[in-house]
Amino acid sequence: MNNHDSSQKPGNGQTYKDAGVDIDAGNRFVDAIKPLAGATRRPGADASLGGFGGLFDLKAAGFTDPILVAATDGVGTKLRIAIELARHDTIGIDLVAMCVNDLVVQGAEPLFFLDYYATGRLDVETGREIVSGIALACQETGCALIGGETAEMPGMYQDADYDLAGFCVGAVERGRALPRADIAAGDMLLGIASSGLHSNGFSLVRRLVDQAGIGLDDPAPFKSEHTLGLTLLTPTKLYVKSALAAIGQGGVKGLAHITGGGLTENIPRVLPDGLMAEVDLASWSLPALFAWLQRTGGMSDSEMLKTFNCGVGMVAVVAPDKAEAVMAILAAGGETVFPIGKLTAGSGAPKTIYRASLMAG
């Protein structure tokens, strides 16, 4: 007779664990990540876990008349590379970065973060590695990890497969949000270097890697000290501290986070109608990883520029007389910054136009 037959005697019936959900593992996981969340405490949040909701005190955080800004995101199929390599310690950084970078371009300071972690089978150590990356990124950006949800869902995910989503809330004082209303023709565009692919375009990247017949554990076929897989897992850059410092200087009129859609679609999102972003592609060198992807896929410049960040993870719109000061502040914050173009008058909806061609470094 089947051990899980419904005719079993009372007390020997089926359990939730028989169906693939281990509540005890979930409790061990919460215990394992409590110290990680606790390390992200900041004014306004004690970052304790275990309640039904997370609390945040805006007054204790120093805000007078704040506007709340919220963002949510994931890391896409970059997860597949982390799963295949069994390297989970940086993917949480990506998750936080994709959310907090979206907040800071509104001029907002990230305040608190929550994560959603769904898997076919909860492995406590894998989960702890993921959350360690989340907590590290929260610490680096002054954002409290105040809660989250872990879902063990056999039948929805294959065994060790998992998915992540992040949710972040920030605040900006009323009247200080970006983009500013005085963005105008003649303003300069400053490119802030990316750390790599960040978390966009990985469905295409994985396709190109397969076509090239290169394994993730093989040496990267371009300038890199690491294997291809570890190079692809380089986490998304956290721009919060340097961007907030530049915003505080007063010279930043707008910021664009270069995610899905690349430079082509993201710069216009911060521009008013009647303006065009004129970008000089010769003003920076295409990093080796992107150049390899372009060669491997036979991709046009236009396809590259609307798919990947191409080495520019953030773009700042600044008045010409403020550009030098803004660049100095960003550089002091550890950023590599270069002028990449300017705004010009146009007609209709804003758009990005390009001069020259992408040039490999």
Side-chain angles (χ1 to χ4, degrees), residues 127-180:
R128 193 200 64 79
E129 288 183 23
I130 294 168
V131 177
S132 70
I134 293 173
L136 176 63
C138 284
Q139 284 181 274
E140 290 189 12
T141 57
C143 187
L145 176 59
I146 66 170
E149 170 69 7
T150 303
E152 193 171 20
M153 300 168 64
M156 286 293 292
Y157 298 93
Q158 293 296 316
D159 198 27
D161 282 0
Y162 63 86
D163 198 8
L164 296 173
F167 311 87
C168 194
V169 172
V172 57
E173 292 288 4
R174 191 178 304 275
R176 297 182 185 176
L178 297 180
R180 284 173 19 189

Side-chain angles (χ1 to χ4, degrees), residues 265-351:
E265 295 187 4
N266 284 293
I267 299 177
R269 294 172 66 181
V270 304
L271 304 180
D273 288 348
L275 288 180
M276 296 188 300
E278 186 176 298
V279 175
D280 179 6
L281 298 177
S283 60
W284 80 95
S285 296
L286 188 68
L289 167 58
F290 296 97
W292 178 77
L293 290 170
Q294 185 172 27
R295 289 194 307 271
T296 301
M299 298 171 65
S300 65
D301 281 0
S302 61
E303 187 66 24
M304 289 288 294
L305 290 159
K306 71 177 182 181
T307 304
F308 303 119
N309 66 59
C310 293
V312 179
M314 189 82 77
V315 173
V317 180
V318 301
D321 62 341
K322 302 287 187 180
E324 187 174 337
V326 171
M327 290 180 68
I329 291 173
L330 290 170
E335 308 294 355
T336 300
V337 194
F338 31 86
I340 63 170
K342 62 182 180 180
L343 300 184
T344 59
S347 59
K351 58 186 176 183

Side-chain angles (χ1 to χ4, degrees), residues 239-260:
Y239 294 104
V240 170
K241 287 187 177 180
S242 58
L244 286 176
I247 292 167
Q249 186 268 353
V252 176
K253 294 185 176 184
L255 286 168
H257 185 200
I258 310 305
T259 56

